[in-house]
Every structure is written in C-alpha cells, then in structure tokens.
Amino acid sequence: MSKDTAMCGEMLLGVDFGSGGAKSTLISVKGEVLATCFKEYPTYYPELYYAEQNPDDWWKALVESIAELVEENSLNPYQLLAISVDAPTHNAVLLDKDKKVLRNAIFWTDQRSSSYARELDEKYGELILEQAFHRPGTIWTLPQLLWIKRQQPEIWNKIRYIIFEKDYIRYLMTGNLATDNIEAMGSMLFDARKNSWSTELCNLIDLPVEFLPEIKLPFEIAGGLTKTAAKILNLREGMPVIVGTTDTALEIFGAGAVNPGQATVKLATAGRICVITERAAPHEYLINYPHVVPGKWYPGTATKSCASSYRWFRDVFGEKETELEMLGGKSSYYHLDILAASAPPGSDGLFFHPYLTGELTPYNNSNLRASFTGATMKHTKAHFARAVLEGVAFSLRDCLEVIRQCGFELEDIRLIGGGSGSPLWSQIVSDVMGISLTKPSTADSSFGGAMLAGIGAGVFSDFDDAVDKCVKLKENVEPDMIRHEHYEKLFQVYREIEKGLEVAYEKLTMLKN
C-alpha cells in the first residue's frame, strides 16, 4: 500500500478488478493520487484449458481494500464523492431468478469454447461480424454461453439474468442491474450498429434477450450505495456509484489518450495496441470498442499472454529471484530484469513465442502454444529471461503490423500497464517496434476509474478537463535504431518459426482431445 500523508479534501475512488486482484486508487479532485491498495484473489484452473474466477472473491477483495484505505488513511466517508469499478470484459456472471450466482465466472483466457467458437464462425460468422464487429473466438461471451448450454444444461435452464464482472460488484453495492455499452460489445450479443442488444445474436443460442441488463453510458450514475453495502464497506449510504466500464477503456482514458492519432501500448496480463479514432474499424484481427468519450472508438490489437508470460517464467524458473524478494529485497521482477539485461539483444538467437493460452492478433488461433526455440549449450537463464521480454515485444510487433496495414496514424503513443514499470522491457519494446513511447506518471484502470467517477459526479466538466487536471507525463523512451534494425531481421525469423510450428500445434491439440 502507498499513501499520501496529507489526506484531506474531497476525493474520488476507482477500483479495478484485474486478473490477479483488485487495485483501488484514491485521488483528489485536483487529480493527485492520494493512496492505493491491492488485494489478490485466485484464478481457478479446474481442467486443462479452463480458467474461472469466483465472484465471492471479488467482493471480498473490495471489502478488504476499502477497509484498508479507510483505516490507514483515517478516511472520512463524507470526503468520498463517488466510486467507479471496472474489470476485464467478457467475464459473464450468471444469476438465477433470485439473483444468486449459479457458477464461477468463465474467465476471458479460458479456451474450453474453442469448438463452439468455430461452429458459430462457420455457421454465422458474417452475421456476427456485421453486428458485433468481431468474429467468434474463445474470449467472447457468446461461445462461452453456448458451451454452458450444451455442457451444463442444469445451469443453463436456471439462468434469468446475465451481467458482467464489474456489474455484479456494482449490483452488490447499489442493488441495480445494468451494464455499459463498452462492456456490452464484449458479449458478442450486442448490435454495435444500433447500440442495443441483438435479438438475432441472442437467438443463435436461444437466449431470451430480456435476460440481459439495461445498457447505460459508463459515466452515468448507476445508483447510490445501499444501507447494507454502506455498513459493510464503512462508507456513506447513498454515495453515487458510477456505471463504470472495462479495464482497457479506463487505462486508455487514464493515460490521457482521448484524441484521434493518440494510441496506447499496454504491457499487462494481455498486451494491447489501441488507437483512438472517430469510427469503428471492423477487421478480423482488430478488437473494436467504443471509447468512454462519446463518439470515439479505440480499435486495437491484442496478444493474449504479455506480462502473464513473464509471471509464468518467474513462477516456474524464478525461485531464486522470488527468495530474494521474500528476504526483504526488491521485487523478483527487478532481479529477473537485472539477469535479462546481462544477455545481449536478440538473446544470441534464442526465441520465445508467448502463446501460453493461444493467440489473438494476428492469428486468432487458440491452438498455438508457447515455445523456446534456438536453444544451444551456450544459452543461460539470462538468455531465457531476456527472450521472454523480447518474445512479447515481437508479438506486439506483429500487432503493430496490423495497425499499420489498417492505415491508422500513430502520433502520440503512451506506454501503459504494469510491465511499463520495467526500464529494460520498455526499452526492448521501443527498440523492437522502432517507435517513441511516452510514459504517463499513472495510467492504470483504477486511476482512470477514479477520473471517470469525477466525470459522473460533476467534479470535472468534461473528459478534456479530467485529462488536463489528472494526467501527467513522466518520461519518453526513444528507440535505438541500430538495435531496431537487428531486431527487424530477427522478427522475420520469429514469424517463420510461428509458421513452421503452427501445423505441429494443430496436431498436438487433436492428440490431446
């Protein structure tokens, strides 16, 4: 936990429910970060290719997070003007007639619905692309729901309400069921042309459209904190709770990217390149979502295992670095960075492809798998550590190729996400992509959520006002063009390796099934 010793005045709170835990950020109405808090919760892997989270864990994390903020900062509940929550999209929460949770939420990295996604694409791909602006894949709610219908009919038949992760948390706070237009896009049940639920898409799986919640704008007030929730959270009854939206949308807003030509490169659980535009850009390798700023969009690419690749490497091979952290030293990632920096650019020909959970851009292939290739007797743990960082950067370079093919202008690129805190990784990404990157001082989803709470509460007059008061730029990362030229040659080999292994992974998937 970090905090400011001068806690005073009116405040805004944003809470981000990420893949590994909930981060809360408290800001002043002048945009200063006053305190942060992080509470972990688990992801469950009951079978191969499965990933789930328990909604009870989210609520517990919120309760503990706010309790710590209140206690450690002597927070007067009347100082808090509004709260906004966000989470990854696609994570549906299924409720019965009494609004009780029916099962764990299928997490967006789950791959169990791969065959159902292919079925939907083969039968209805063009209809889905026309209305939802995307083709079916395992990350979307529609194929996940089809899996539940076919594999768990006892659950399917009890469903009466479908909401999403942050909406469920907000429901426990306000008693109101609703979602926002950006979250709705992630369901693949939404007609983006009409900005409403699609009866046609719902009919593909015989889902009554009335099971879906009312759609609001992210910055609207969803309701006030109920008496019960206020008592549990030790906050004031009636405090405005903002509708909120998805994590990426608020990261982009928190980075100050609100105008066409601006873009973000994200090093988080997933890696993203998002460009601010005034229109959607339906494309088989782009993920299209509306911006929190009405009338704007942020079409983008995605690599599924970004910072999660480095975390996996740490968990499997970083025992020594983890022990150093536990002894009271710096973080395990700091020690891995020191190790990786001792290996040369290009890792002496060692490649890592970060397809730990399949891949999105530019393959849309859930059968791809991660691999180290090119290993020789001279390669050390340092080479492997650096290869992971470079492999993710190469995956983002693959994403950049799609962005350029679509003709988007990139004039002001902000580097965000937890991985941006690594100077080494930031430089590698800049060198591999050959682009200048600007780091905001703070740009995570919880910070963007606190800014959004300020919009909803009327603290900021508009989105530009919020950015002007809250967003501060920290530093620029400039590419070394000599290293970039070296990386460009290696990138071509990186792509050839992916092509060569693609057939093998297809066969491996068939064998495992």
Side-chain angles (χ1 to χ4, degrees), residues 358-392:
E359 187 55 300
L360 294 173
T361 309
Y363 307 108
N364 286 347
N365 189 343
S366 61
N367 293 328
L368 292 181
R369 293 290 174 264
S371 63
F372 286 104
T373 51
T376 68
M377 293 292 287
K378 71 178 178 182
H379 286 111
T380 66
K381 182 177 173 179
H383 290 91
F384 281 85
R386 187 180 187 104
V388 171
L389 300 179
E390 291 178 335
V392 172

PDB file of all heavy atoms in Angstrom, residues 358-392:
ATOM      1  N   GLY A 358      -2.865 -19.728 -26.401  1.00  0.00           N
ATOM      2  CA  GLY A 358      -3.246 -19.440 -27.773  1.00  0.00           C
ATOM      3  C   GLY A 358      -2.892 -18.001 -28.110  1.00  0.00           C
ATOM      4  O   GLY A 358      -2.174 -17.333 -27.367  1.00  0.00           O
ATOM      5  N   GLU A 359      -3.381 -17.508 -29.243  1.00  0.00           N
ATOM      6  CA  GLU A 359      -3.059 -16.136 -29.618  1.00  0.00           C
ATOM      7  C   GLU A 359      -4.200 -15.481 -30.373  1.00  0.00           C
ATOM      8  O   GLU A 359      -4.995 -16.146 -31.049  1.00  0.00           O
ATOM      9  CB  GLU A 359      -1.780 -16.098 -30.474  1.00  0.00           C
ATOM     10  CG  GLU A 359      -1.268 -14.706 -30.789  1.00  0.00           C
ATOM     11  CD  GLU A 359      -1.033 -13.840 -29.554  1.00  0.00           C
ATOM     12  OE1 GLU A 359      -2.003 -13.605 -28.803  1.00  0.00           O
ATOM     13  OE2 GLU A 359       0.098 -13.396 -29.346  1.00  0.00           O
ATOM     14  N   LEU A 360      -4.276 -14.160 -30.216  1.00  0.00           N
ATOM     15  CA  LEU A 360      -5.259 -13.350 -30.930  1.00  0.00           C
ATOM     16  C   LEU A 360      -4.583 -12.757 -32.173  1.00  0.00           C
ATOM     17  O   LEU A 360      -4.334 -13.452 -33.127  1.00  0.00           O
ATOM     18  CB  LEU A 360      -5.832 -12.286 -29.994  1.00  0.00           C
ATOM     19  CG  LEU A 360      -6.668 -12.851 -28.833  1.00  0.00           C
ATOM     20  CD1 LEU A 360      -7.055 -11.762 -27.857  1.00  0.00           C
ATOM     21  CD2 LEU A 360      -7.906 -13.553 -29.365  1.00  0.00           C
ATOM     22  N   THR A 361      -4.254 -11.468 -32.143  1.00  0.00           N
ATOM     23  CA  THR A 361      -3.651 -10.822 -33.302  1.00  0.00           C
ATOM     24  C   THR A 361      -2.246 -11.379 -33.546  1.00  0.00           C
ATOM     25  O   THR A 361      -1.457 -11.476 -32.614  1.00  0.00           O
ATOM     26  CB  THR A 361      -3.566  -9.299 -33.078  1.00  0.00           C
ATOM     27  OG1 THR A 361      -4.852  -8.818 -32.665  1.00  0.00           O
ATOM     28  CG2 THR A 361      -3.141  -8.579 -34.344  1.00  0.00           C
ATOM     29  N   PRO A 362      -1.874 -11.687 -34.799  1.00  0.00           N
ATOM     30  CA  PRO A 362      -2.717 -11.683 -35.999  1.00  0.00           C
ATOM     31  C   PRO A 362      -3.076 -13.092 -36.460  1.00  0.00           C
ATOM     32  O   PRO A 362      -3.088 -13.356 -37.662  1.00  0.00           O
ATOM     33  CB  PRO A 362      -1.798 -11.003 -37.013  1.00  0.00           C
ATOM     34  CG  PRO A 362      -0.434 -11.537 -36.665  1.00  0.00           C
ATOM     35  CD  PRO A 362      -0.445 -11.785 -35.170  1.00  0.00           C
ATOM     36  N   TYR A 363      -3.350 -13.982 -35.514  1.00  0.00           N
ATOM     37  CA  TYR A 363      -3.603 -15.380 -35.878  1.00  0.00           C
ATOM     38  C   TYR A 363      -5.005 -15.877 -35.502  1.00  0.00           C
ATOM     39  O   TYR A 363      -5.534 -16.762 -36.162  1.00  0.00           O
ATOM     40  CB  TYR A 363      -2.548 -16.284 -35.226  1.00  0.00           C
ATOM     41  CG  TYR A 363      -1.142 -15.832 -35.523  1.00  0.00           C
ATOM     42  CD1 TYR A 363      -0.341 -15.243 -34.545  1.00  0.00           C
ATOM     43  CD2 TYR A 363      -0.618 -15.961 -36.805  1.00  0.00           C
ATOM     44  CE1 TYR A 363       0.939 -14.803 -34.830  1.00  0.00           C
ATOM     45  CE2 TYR A 363       0.666 -15.515 -37.100  1.00  0.00           C
ATOM     46  CZ  TYR A 363       1.439 -14.933 -36.105  1.00  0.00           C
ATOM     47  OH  TYR A 363       2.705 -14.491 -36.405  1.00  0.00           O
ATOM     48  N   ASN A 364      -5.560 -15.344 -34.422  1.00  0.00           N
ATOM     49  CA  ASN A 364      -6.855 -15.829 -33.928  1.00  0.00           C
ATOM     50  C   ASN A 364      -6.863 -17.348 -33.857  1.00  0.00           C
ATOM     51  O   ASN A 364      -7.758 -18.017 -34.374  1.00  0.00           O
ATOM     52  CB  ASN A 364      -7.997 -15.333 -34.829  1.00  0.00           C
ATOM     53  CG  ASN A 364      -8.288 -13.855 -34.625  1.00  0.00           C
ATOM     54  OD1 ASN A 364      -7.829 -13.248 -33.662  1.00  0.00           O
ATOM     55  ND2 ASN A 364      -9.041 -13.275 -35.540  1.00  0.00           N
ATOM     56  N   ASN A 365      -5.846 -17.899 -33.208  1.00  0.00           N
ATOM     57  CA  ASN A 365      -5.651 -19.347 -33.178  1.00  0.00           C
ATOM     58  C   ASN A 365      -5.448 -19.802 -31.738  1.00  0.00           C
ATOM     59  O   ASN A 365      -4.381 -19.561 -31.144  1.00  0.00           O
ATOM     60  CB  ASN A 365      -4.452 -19.732 -34.039  1.00  0.00           C
ATOM     61  CG  ASN A 365      -4.319 -21.231 -34.228  1.00  0.00           C
ATOM     62  OD1 ASN A 365      -4.916 -22.020 -33.496  1.00  0.00           O
ATOM     63  ND2 ASN A 365      -3.539 -21.629 -35.216  1.00  0.00           N
ATOM     64  N   SER A 366      -6.450 -20.471 -31.200  1.00  0.00           N
ATOM     65  CA  SER A 366      -6.353 -20.937 -29.817  1.00  0.00           C
ATOM     66  C   SER A 366      -5.465 -22.170 -29.689  1.00  0.00           C
ATOM     67  O   SER A 366      -5.138 -22.591 -28.580  1.00  0.00           O
ATOM     68  CB  SER A 366      -7.749 -21.250 -29.264  1.00  0.00           C
ATOM     69  OG  SER A 366      -8.372 -22.276 -30.024  1.00  0.00           O
ATOM     70  N   ASN A 367      -5.055 -22.775 -30.819  1.00  0.00           N
ATOM     71  CA  ASN A 367      -4.215 -23.974 -30.778  1.00  0.00           C
ATOM     72  C   ASN A 367      -2.725 -23.666 -30.659  1.00  0.00           C
ATOM     73  O   ASN A 367      -1.932 -24.567 -30.383  1.00  0.00           O
ATOM     74  CB  ASN A 367      -4.442 -24.825 -32.034  1.00  0.00           C
ATOM     75  CG  ASN A 367      -5.831 -25.419 -32.080  1.00  0.00           C
ATOM     76  OD1 ASN A 367      -6.417 -25.726 -31.044  1.00  0.00           O
ATOM     77  ND2 ASN A 367      -6.384 -25.562 -33.274  1.00  0.00           N
ATOM     78  N   LEU A 368      -2.340 -22.417 -30.890  1.00  0.00           N
ATOM     79  CA  LEU A 368      -0.925 -22.072 -30.777  1.00  0.00           C
ATOM     80  C   LEU A 368      -0.448 -22.266 -29.346  1.00  0.00           C
ATOM     81  O   LEU A 368      -1.206 -22.054 -28.392  1.00  0.00           O
ATOM     82  CB  LEU A 368      -0.685 -20.628 -31.222  1.00  0.00           C
ATOM     83  CG  LEU A 368      -0.889 -20.326 -32.703  1.00  0.00           C
ATOM     84  CD1 LEU A 368      -0.587 -18.858 -32.985  1.00  0.00           C
ATOM     85  CD2 LEU A 368      -0.031 -21.226 -33.575  1.00  0.00           C
ATOM     86  N   ARG A 369       0.812 -22.610 -29.185  1.00  0.00           N
ATOM     87  CA  ARG A 369       1.396 -22.832 -27.870  1.00  0.00           C
ATOM     88  C   ARG A 369       2.708 -22.058 -27.751  1.00  0.00           C
ATOM     89  O   ARG A 369       3.360 -21.744 -28.752  1.00  0.00           O
ATOM     90  CB  ARG A 369       1.658 -24.327 -27.632  1.00  0.00           C
ATOM     91  CG  ARG A 369       0.381 -25.152 -27.544  1.00  0.00           C
ATOM     92  CD  ARG A 369      -0.384 -24.829 -26.262  1.00  0.00           C
ATOM     93  NE  ARG A 369      -1.684 -25.489 -26.208  1.00  0.00           N
ATOM     94  CZ  ARG A 369      -2.821 -24.924 -26.556  1.00  0.00           C
ATOM     95  NH1 ARG A 369      -2.835 -23.687 -27.031  1.00  0.00           N
ATOM     96  NH2 ARG A 369      -3.965 -25.564 -26.448  1.00  0.00           N
ATOM     97  N   ALA A 370       3.093 -21.784 -26.529  1.00  0.00           N
ATOM     98  CA  ALA A 370       4.347 -21.074 -26.291  1.00  0.00           C
ATOM     99  C   ALA A 370       5.522 -22.007 -26.562  1.00  0.00           C
ATOM    100  O   ALA A 370       5.418 -23.229 -26.437  1.00  0.00           O
ATOM    101  CB  ALA A 370       4.407 -20.573 -24.856  1.00  0.00           C
ATOM    102  N   SER A 371       6.650 -21.397 -26.922  1.00  0.00           N
ATOM    103  CA  SER A 371       7.837 -22.217 -27.185  1.00  0.00           C
ATOM    104  C   SER A 371       9.109 -21.395 -27.045  1.00  0.00           C
ATOM    105  O   SER A 371       9.118 -20.186 -27.311  1.00  0.00           O
ATOM    106  CB  SER A 371       7.775 -22.796 -28.604  1.00  0.00           C
ATOM    107  OG  SER A 371       7.783 -21.749 -29.572  1.00  0.00           O
ATOM    108  N   PHE A 372      10.160 -22.041 -26.597  1.00  0.00           N
ATOM    109  CA  PHE A 372      11.515 -21.534 -26.727  1.00  0.00           C
ATOM    110  C   PHE A 372      12.147 -22.294 -27.891  1.00  0.00           C
ATOM    111  O   PHE A 372      12.105 -23.536 -27.921  1.00  0.00           O
ATOM    112  CB  PHE A 372      12.335 -21.782 -25.457  1.00  0.00           C
ATOM    113  CG  PHE A 372      11.980 -20.886 -24.299  1.00  0.00           C
ATOM    114  CD1 PHE A 372      11.229 -21.373 -23.243  1.00  0.00           C
ATOM    115  CD2 PHE A 372      12.398 -19.564 -24.262  1.00  0.00           C
ATOM    116  CE1 PHE A 372      10.895 -20.557 -22.169  1.00  0.00           C
ATOM    117  CE2 PHE A 372      12.079 -18.735 -23.190  1.00  0.00           C
ATOM    118  CZ  PHE A 372      11.320 -19.237 -22.148  1.00  0.00           C
ATOM    119  N   THR A 373      12.719 -21.585 -28.846  1.00  0.00           N
ATOM    120  CA  THR A 373      13.395 -22.235 -29.969  1.00  0.00           C
ATOM    121  C   THR A 373      14.770 -21.608 -30.172  1.00  0.00           C
ATOM    122  O   THR A 373      14.987 -20.431 -29.866  1.00  0.00           O
ATOM    123  CB  THR A 373      12.586 -22.094 -31.272  1.00  0.00           C
ATOM    124  OG1 THR A 373      12.246 -20.708 -31.465  1.00  0.00           O
ATOM    125  CG2 THR A 373      11.319 -22.907 -31.228  1.00  0.00           C
ATOM    126  N   GLY A 374      15.669 -22.413 -30.690  1.00  0.00           N
ATOM    127  CA  GLY A 374      17.026 -21.930 -30.973  1.00  0.00           C
ATOM    128  C   GLY A 374      17.997 -22.097 -29.833  1.00  0.00           C
ATOM    129  O   GLY A 374      19.090 -21.531 -29.865  1.00  0.00           O
ATOM    130  N   ALA A 375      17.614 -22.875 -28.802  1.00  0.00           N
ATOM    131  CA  ALA A 375      18.486 -23.036 -27.635  1.00  0.00           C
ATOM    132  C   ALA A 375      19.725 -23.851 -27.982  1.00  0.00           C
ATOM    133  O   ALA A 375      19.665 -24.829 -28.740  1.00  0.00           O
ATOM    134  CB  ALA A 375      17.724 -23.710 -26.500  1.00  0.00           C
ATOM    135  N   THR A 376      20.875 -23.443 -27.434  1.00  0.00           N
ATOM    136  CA  THR A 376      22.141 -24.159 -27.593  1.00  0.00           C
ATOM    137  C   THR A 376      22.799 -24.282 -26.223  1.00  0.00           C
ATOM    138  O   THR A 376      22.296 -23.752 -25.218  1.00  0.00           O
ATOM    139  CB  THR A 376      23.087 -23.413 -28.545  1.00  0.00           C
ATOM    140  OG1 THR A 376      23.496 -22.180 -27.917  1.00  0.00           O
ATOM    141  CG2 THR A 376      22.426 -23.096 -29.878  1.00  0.00           C
ATOM    142  N   MET A 377      23.933 -24.942 -26.189  1.00  0.00           N
ATOM    143  CA  MET A 377      24.657 -25.140 -24.931  1.00  0.00           C
ATOM    144  C   MET A 377      25.127 -23.822 -24.320  1.00  0.00           C
ATOM    145  O   MET A 377      25.392 -23.754 -23.115  1.00  0.00           O
ATOM    146  CB  MET A 377      25.845 -26.071 -25.146  1.00  0.00           C
ATOM    147  CG  MET A 377      25.464 -27.506 -25.482  1.00  0.00           C
ATOM    148  SD  MET A 377      24.683 -28.360 -24.101  1.00  0.00           S
ATOM    149  CE  MET A 377      26.085 -28.634 -23.029  1.00  0.00           C
ATOM    150  N   LYS A 378      25.240 -22.781 -25.119  1.00  0.00           N
ATOM    151  CA  LYS A 378      25.749 -21.508 -24.582  1.00  0.00           C
ATOM    152  C   LYS A 378      24.673 -20.681 -23.898  1.00  0.00           C
ATOM    153  O   LYS A 378      24.969 -19.709 -23.206  1.00  0.00           O
ATOM    154  CB  LYS A 378      26.397 -20.684 -25.691  1.00  0.00           C
ATOM    155  CG  LYS A 378      25.412 -20.105 -26.701  1.00  0.00           C
ATOM    156  CD  LYS A 378      26.144 -19.263 -27.736  1.00  0.00           C
ATOM    157  CE  LYS A 378      25.182 -18.711 -28.778  1.00  0.00           C
ATOM    158  NZ  LYS A 378      25.874 -17.918 -29.818  1.00  0.00           N
ATOM    159  N   HIS A 379      23.411 -21.059 -24.082  1.00  0.00           N
ATOM    160  CA  HIS A 379      22.338 -20.249 -23.520  1.00  0.00           C
ATOM    161  C   HIS A 379      22.177 -20.494 -22.021  1.00  0.00           C
ATOM    162  O   HIS A 379      22.226 -21.632 -21.549  1.00  0.00           O
ATOM    163  CB  HIS A 379      21.025 -20.520 -24.248  1.00  0.00           C
ATOM    164  CG  HIS A 379      20.977 -19.918 -25.618  1.00  0.00           C
ATOM    165  ND1 HIS A 379      20.994 -20.664 -26.778  1.00  0.00           N
ATOM    166  CD2 HIS A 379      20.941 -18.623 -26.020  1.00  0.00           C
ATOM    167  CE1 HIS A 379      20.960 -19.863 -27.822  1.00  0.00           C
ATOM    168  NE2 HIS A 379      20.924 -18.611 -27.392  1.00  0.00           N
ATOM    169  N   THR A 380      21.985 -19.410 -21.299  1.00  0.00           N
ATOM    170  CA  THR A 380      21.859 -19.440 -19.843  1.00  0.00           C
ATOM    171  C   THR A 380      20.460 -18.964 -19.439  1.00  0.00           C
ATOM    172  O   THR A 380      19.658 -18.548 -20.282  1.00  0.00           O
ATOM    173  CB  THR A 380      22.898 -18.529 -19.194  1.00  0.00           C
ATOM    174  OG1 THR A 380      22.602 -17.154 -19.564  1.00  0.00           O
ATOM    175  CG2 THR A 380      24.316 -18.879 -19.655  1.00  0.00           C
ATOM    176  N   LYS A 381      20.218 -18.987 -18.156  1.00  0.00           N
ATOM    177  CA  LYS A 381      18.937 -18.483 -17.651  1.00  0.00           C
ATOM    178  C   LYS A 381      18.743 -17.021 -18.044  1.00  0.00           C
ATOM    179  O   LYS A 381      17.606 -16.583 -18.314  1.00  0.00           O
ATOM    180  CB  LYS A 381      18.890 -18.639 -16.132  1.00  0.00           C
ATOM    181  CG  LYS A 381      17.587 -18.186 -15.498  1.00  0.00           C
ATOM    182  CD  LYS A 381      17.604 -18.450 -13.997  1.00  0.00           C
ATOM    183  CE  LYS A 381      16.399 -17.859 -13.306  1.00  0.00           C
ATOM    184  NZ  LYS A 381      16.402 -18.123 -11.842  1.00  0.00           N
ATOM    185  N   ALA A 382      19.815 -16.266 -18.111  1.00  0.00           N
ATOM    186  CA  ALA A 382      19.715 -14.855 -18.508  1.00  0.00           C
ATOM    187  C   ALA A 382      19.161 -14.730 -19.921  1.00  0.00           C
ATOM    188  O   ALA A 382      18.318 -13.867 -20.206  1.00  0.00           O
ATOM    189  CB  ALA A 382      21.088 -14.191 -18.421  1.00  0.00           C
ATOM    190  N   HIS A 383      19.633 -15.595 -20.827  1.00  0.00           N
ATOM    191  CA  HIS A 383      19.120 -15.567 -22.193  1.00  0.00           C
ATOM    192  C   HIS A 383      17.623 -15.880 -22.218  1.00  0.00           C
ATOM    193  O   HIS A 383      16.854 -15.240 -22.953  1.00  0.00           O
ATOM    194  CB  HIS A 383      19.863 -16.595 -23.061  1.00  0.00           C
ATOM    195  CG  HIS A 383      21.282 -16.244 -23.360  1.00  0.00           C
ATOM    196  ND1 HIS A 383      22.329 -16.653 -22.567  1.00  0.00           N
ATOM    197  CD2 HIS A 383      21.830 -15.522 -24.379  1.00  0.00           C
ATOM    198  CE1 HIS A 383      23.464 -16.210 -23.084  1.00  0.00           C
ATOM    199  NE2 HIS A 383      23.192 -15.523 -24.176  1.00  0.00           N
ATOM    200  N   PHE A 384      17.221 -16.881 -21.438  1.00  0.00           N
ATOM    201  CA  PHE A 384      15.804 -17.260 -21.424  1.00  0.00           C
ATOM    202  C   PHE A 384      14.941 -16.124 -20.875  1.00  0.00           C
ATOM    203  O   PHE A 384      13.835 -15.870 -21.379  1.00  0.00           O
ATOM    204  CB  PHE A 384      15.603 -18.545 -20.613  1.00  0.00           C
ATOM    205  CG  PHE A 384      15.970 -19.799 -21.372  1.00  0.00           C
ATOM    206  CD1 PHE A 384      17.279 -20.243 -21.411  1.00  0.00           C
ATOM    207  CD2 PHE A 384      15.004 -20.509 -22.053  1.00  0.00           C
ATOM    208  CE1 PHE A 384      17.624 -21.394 -22.116  1.00  0.00           C
ATOM    209  CE2 PHE A 384      15.333 -21.662 -22.761  1.00  0.00           C
ATOM    210  CZ  PHE A 384      16.647 -22.107 -22.801  1.00  0.00           C
ATOM    211  N   ALA A 385      15.418 -15.450 -19.833  1.00  0.00           N
ATOM    212  CA  ALA A 385      14.664 -14.332 -19.260  1.00  0.00           C
ATOM    213  C   ALA A 385      14.508 -13.203 -20.282  1.00  0.00           C
ATOM    214  O   ALA A 385      13.413 -12.644 -20.455  1.00  0.00           O
ATOM    215  CB  ALA A 385      15.353 -13.813 -18.002  1.00  0.00           C
ATOM    216  N   ARG A 386      15.611 -12.873 -20.960  1.00  0.00           N
ATOM    217  CA  ARG A 386      15.528 -11.805 -21.966  1.00  0.00           C
ATOM    218  C   ARG A 386      14.663 -12.230 -23.149  1.00  0.00           C
ATOM    219  O   ARG A 386      13.903 -11.417 -23.697  1.00  0.00           O
ATOM    220  CB  ARG A 386      16.923 -11.423 -22.454  1.00  0.00           C
ATOM    221  CG  ARG A 386      16.882 -10.206 -23.382  1.00  0.00           C
ATOM    222  CD  ARG A 386      18.222  -9.770 -23.904  1.00  0.00           C
ATOM    223  NE  ARG A 386      18.055  -8.523 -24.635  1.00  0.00           N
ATOM    224  CZ  ARG A 386      18.392  -7.321 -24.190  1.00  0.00           C
ATOM    225  NH1 ARG A 386      18.938  -7.204 -22.985  1.00  0.00           N
ATOM    226  NH2 ARG A 386      18.193  -6.234 -24.918  1.00  0.00           N
ATOM    227  N   ALA A 387      14.742 -13.508 -23.526  1.00  0.00           N
ATOM    228  CA  ALA A 387      13.947 -13.999 -24.654  1.00  0.00           C
ATOM    229  C   ALA A 387      12.452 -13.844 -24.394  1.00  0.00           C
ATOM    230  O   ALA A 387      11.677 -13.575 -25.318  1.00  0.00           O
ATOM    231  CB  ALA A 387      14.287 -15.454 -24.947  1.00  0.00           C
ATOM    232  N   VAL A 388      12.019 -14.002 -23.141  1.00  0.00           N
ATOM    233  CA  VAL A 388      10.608 -13.805 -22.814  1.00  0.00           C
ATOM    234  C   VAL A 388      10.208 -12.352 -23.070  1.00  0.00           C
ATOM    235  O   VAL A 388       9.174 -12.080 -23.699  1.00  0.00           O
ATOM    236  CB  VAL A 388      10.321 -14.204 -21.355  1.00  0.00           C
ATOM    237  CG1 VAL A 388       8.907 -13.789 -20.946  1.00  0.00           C
ATOM    238  CG2 VAL A 388      10.504 -15.705 -21.161  1.00  0.00           C
ATOM    239  N   LEU A 389      11.018 -11.417 -22.610  1.00  0.00           N
ATOM    240  CA  LEU A 389      10.713 -10.000 -22.818  1.00  0.00           C
ATOM    241  C   LEU A 389      10.720  -9.658 -24.307  1.00  0.00           C
ATOM    242  O   LEU A 389       9.843  -8.924 -24.791  1.00  0.00           O
ATOM    243  CB  LEU A 389      11.732  -9.134 -22.076  1.00  0.00           C
ATOM    244  CG  LEU A 389      11.802  -9.317 -20.551  1.00  0.00           C
ATOM    245  CD1 LEU A 389      12.872  -8.402 -19.959  1.00  0.00           C
ATOM    246  CD2 LEU A 389      10.455  -9.040 -19.904  1.00  0.00           C
ATOM    247  N   GLU A 390      11.685 -10.189 -25.022  1.00  0.00           N
ATOM    248  CA  GLU A 390      11.770  -9.907 -26.461  1.00  0.00           C
ATOM    249  C   GLU A 390      10.647 -10.608 -27.222  1.00  0.00           C
ATOM    250  O   GLU A 390      10.102 -10.055 -28.185  1.00  0.00           O
ATOM    251  CB  GLU A 390      13.132 -10.351 -26.988  1.00  0.00           C
ATOM    252  CG  GLU A 390      14.278  -9.495 -26.479  1.00  0.00           C
ATOM    253  CD  GLU A 390      15.639  -9.955 -26.950  1.00  0.00           C
ATOM    254  OE1 GLU A 390      15.796 -11.160 -27.261  1.00  0.00           O
ATOM    255  OE2 GLU A 390      16.565  -9.118 -26.995  1.00  0.00           O
ATOM    256  N   GLY A 391      10.278 -11.819 -26.784  1.00  0.00           N
ATOM    257  CA  GLY A 391       9.208 -12.539 -27.459  1.00  0.00           C
ATOM    258  C   GLY A 391       7.879 -11.811 -27.386  1.00  0.00           C
ATOM    259  O   GLY A 391       7.136 -11.740 -28.382  1.00  0.00           O
ATOM    260  N   VAL A 392       7.573 -11.259 -26.227  1.00  0.00           N
ATOM    261  CA  VAL A 392       6.349 -10.465 -26.099  1.00  0.00           C
ATOM    262  C   VAL A 392       6.449  -9.219 -26.980  1.00  0.00           C
ATOM    263  O   VAL A 392       5.466  -8.825 -27.637  1.00  0.00           O
ATOM    264  CB  VAL A 392       6.094 -10.078 -24.631  1.00  0.00           C
ATOM    265  CG1 VAL A 392       4.941  -9.090 -24.531  1.00  0.00           C
ATOM    266  CG2 VAL A 392       5.796 -11.317 -23.785  1.00  0.00           C
TER     267      VAL A 392
END
